[in-house]
Amino acid sequence: MGKRRSYDAEFREGAVRIVLETGKSAAEVARDLGVHEGTLQTWVSRARGAVAAGTGPLEESEREELARLRSENQRLRKESVEWGMERDVLKRCMVLWVK
Protein backbone atom coordinates (compact mmCIF):
# COMPACT_ATOMS: atom_id res chain seq x y z
CA MET A 1 0.00 0.00 0.00
CA GLY A 2 1.12 3.53 -0.70
CA LYS A 3 1.71 6.15 1.91
CA ARG A 4 -1.24 8.43 2.49
CA ARG A 5 -0.53 12.11 1.74
CA SER A 6 -1.99 14.89 3.80
CA TYR A 7 -2.72 18.38 2.52
CA ASP A 8 -3.00 21.51 4.60
CA ALA A 9 -6.24 23.52 4.69
CA GLU A 10 -4.81 26.34 2.60
CA PHE A 11 -3.89 23.95 -0.24
CA ARG A 12 -7.33 22.31 -0.14
CA GLU A 13 -9.13 25.67 -0.19
CA GLY A 14 -6.98 26.86 -3.08
CA ALA A 15 -7.65 23.72 -5.10
CA VAL A 16 -11.39 24.00 -4.49
CA ARG A 17 -11.33 27.68 -5.42
CA ILE A 18 -9.63 26.83 -8.73
CA VAL A 19 -12.36 24.32 -9.59
CA LEU A 20 -15.22 26.61 -8.58
CA GLU A 21 -13.92 29.87 -10.05
CA THR A 22 -12.29 28.72 -13.29
CA GLY A 23 -14.91 26.22 -14.37
CA LYS A 24 -12.25 23.59 -15.00
CA SER A 25 -13.19 20.02 -14.20
CA ALA A 26 -12.02 18.50 -10.95
CA ALA A 27 -10.13 15.85 -12.92
CA GLU A 28 -8.19 18.47 -14.87
CA VAL A 29 -7.29 20.49 -11.77
CA ALA A 30 -6.37 17.31 -9.90
CA ARG A 31 -3.94 16.31 -12.66
CA ASP A 32 -2.40 19.80 -12.65
CA LEU A 33 -1.92 19.76 -8.87
CA GLY A 34 -0.91 16.13 -8.51
CA VAL A 35 -3.90 15.22 -6.37
CA HIS A 36 -6.13 12.18 -6.80
CA GLU A 37 -9.30 13.12 -8.66
CA GLY A 38 -11.59 11.55 -6.05
CA THR A 39 -9.88 13.45 -3.26
CA LEU A 40 -10.35 16.79 -4.99
CA GLN A 41 -13.95 15.96 -5.87
CA THR A 42 -14.60 15.21 -2.18
CA TRP A 43 -13.16 18.60 -1.20
CA VAL A 44 -15.32 20.35 -3.81
CA SER A 45 -18.45 18.51 -2.67
CA ARG A 46 -17.82 19.44 0.94
CA ALA A 47 -17.25 23.08 0.00
CA ARG A 48 -20.46 23.20 -2.02
CA GLY A 49 -22.33 21.55 0.86
CA ALA A 50 -20.91 24.07 3.32
CA VAL A 51 -22.01 26.96 1.10
CA ALA A 52 -25.48 25.47 0.68
CA ALA A 53 -25.77 24.90 4.40
CA GLY A 54 -24.48 28.37 5.15
CA THR A 55 -21.50 27.26 7.07
CA GLY A 56 -18.93 28.46 4.60
CA PRO A 57 -16.86 31.59 5.14
CA LEU A 58 -18.84 34.82 5.01
CA GLU A 59 -17.83 38.13 3.53
CA GLU A 60 -17.97 41.26 5.67
CA SER A 61 -21.20 42.50 4.03
CA GLU A 62 -22.82 39.11 4.63
CA ARG A 63 -21.78 39.18 8.30
CA GLU A 64 -23.28 42.65 8.71
CA GLU A 65 -26.53 41.60 7.05
CA LEU A 66 -26.67 38.45 9.18
CA ALA A 67 -26.20 40.48 12.37
CA ARG A 68 -28.89 42.94 11.24
CA LEU A 69 -31.34 40.15 10.42
CA ARG A 70 -30.70 38.38 13.71
CA SER A 71 -31.36 41.55 15.71
CA GLU A 72 -34.51 42.23 13.67
CA ASN A 73 -35.66 38.65 14.23
CA GLN A 74 -35.11 39.01 17.98
CA ARG A 75 -37.05 42.30 18.02
CA LEU A 76 -39.96 40.78 16.08
CA ARG A 77 -40.10 37.77 18.41
CA LYS A 78 -40.34 40.09 21.41
CA GLU A 79 -43.10 42.10 19.71
CA SER A 80 -44.94 38.89 18.89
CA VAL A 81 -44.87 37.83 22.54
CA GLU A 82 -46.11 41.27 23.61
CA TRP A 83 -48.93 41.20 21.06
CA GLY A 84 -49.92 37.74 22.24
CA MET A 85 -50.13 38.98 25.82
CA GLU A 86 -52.19 42.00 24.73
CA ARG A 87 -54.52 39.71 22.77
CA ASP A 88 -55.01 37.49 25.82
CA VAL A 89 -55.81 40.51 28.00
CA LEU A 90 -58.33 41.79 25.46
CA LYS A 91 -59.98 38.35 25.28
CA ARG A 92 -60.36 38.31 29.05
CA CYS A 93 -61.78 41.84 29.01
CA MET A 94 -64.33 40.85 26.36
CA VAL A 95 -65.39 37.84 28.44
CA LEU A 96 -65.86 40.06 31.49
CA TRP A 97 -67.66 42.75 29.47
CA VAL A 98 -70.08 40.22 27.92
CA LYS A 99 -70.95 38.80 31.35
Side-chain angles (χ1 to χ4, degrees), residues 37-83:
E37 177 184 347
T39 302
L40 181 56
Q41 191 59 47
T42 300
W43 297 344
V44 172
S45 297
R46 286 181 184 164
R48 286 183 176 146
V51 169
T55 59
L58 299 177
E59 295 180 8
E60 187 63 31
S61 62
E62 292 173 322
R63 280 192 196 98
E64 291 171 1
E65 182 179 7
L66 181 60
R68 182 186 63 78
L69 291 172
R70 284 181 175 166
S71 66
E72 182 180 358
N73 190 19
Q74 185 178 16
R75 180 184 58 82
L76 292 173
R77 285 180 189 266
K78 285 181 182 178
E79 285 181 11
S80 176
V81 168
E82 290 173 3
W83 290 339

Side-chain angles (χ1 to χ4, degrees), residues 6 15 32 54 62 67 90 93 95:
S6 64
D32 293 344
E62 292 173 322
L90 290 173
C93 289
V95 168

